[in-house]
Amino acid sequence: MDNKVVNKDPTTQRESFTELLGQLASNSAAVVHDEIELVIQRIREKVRALRSGVLAVAIGAVISFAAFMTLCAAMIIGLTCYMAPVIAALVTGAALALIGVVIALIGYRQLKKAIPGT
């Protein structure tokens, strides 16, 4: 009634067990390799996004710097109505230097708070 044939030969069982272990090892190696490739691909995508972001920030900074210099020139030209051009340039430079020092001191204090032990 039962048509199943049970192979009780230990050498055949050992060979099939060895084959299964070999397949498990090769499949595990393939999975690890695929995971490594996936991680590398994700890193490449993040680097591309980071590169384009850094480029956009740099271009924006250059354009903003040009705009700031234009505004400084306009301020100097506007102040020449009230004082000599040399004095207008000195006033503009001194005001910008004062603003820069205040911003640098604020940043220094924030860094000092953020870094423990200083």
Side-chain angles (χ1 to χ4, degrees), residues 1-116:
M1 293 191 181
D2 192 27
N3 291 338
K4 288 185 180 179
V5 177
V6 177
N7 188 0
K8 296 197 178 200
D9 185 16
T11 56
T12 308
Q13 288 179 350
R14 220 176 285 145
E15 287 176 6
S16 63
F17 182 71
T18 306
E19 289 174 7
L20 285 175
L21 283 178
Q23 289 176 358
L24 178 64
S26 66
N27 289 344
S28 298
V31 167
V32 169
H33 183 266
D34 290 344
E35 286 295 322
I36 291 171
E37 288 296 321
L38 184 61
V39 167
I40 290 171
Q41 181 181 358
R42 286 182 184 166
I43 290 172
R44 285 182 184 149
E45 289 173 0
K46 287 182 181 183
V47 166
R48 280 189 210 115
L50 182 67
R51 187 183 325 149
S52 65
V54 167
L55 184 62
V57 168
I59 290 171
V62 168
I63 292 171
S64 296
F65 183 71
F68 178 73
M69 298 310 289
T70 303
L71 289 172
C72 289
M75 187 167 138
I76 292 170
I77 292 169
L79 286 175
T80 57
C81 295
Y82 304 103
M83 57 188 79
V86 172
I87 302 297
L90 286 173
V91 167
T92 302
L96 291 174
L98 181 65
I99 292 170
V101 167
V102 169
I103 291 172
L105 285 175
I106 291 170
Y108 176 73
R109 287 184 185 152
Q110 287 176 348
L111 284 175
K112 198 172 182 181
K113 287 180 186 177
I115 299 172

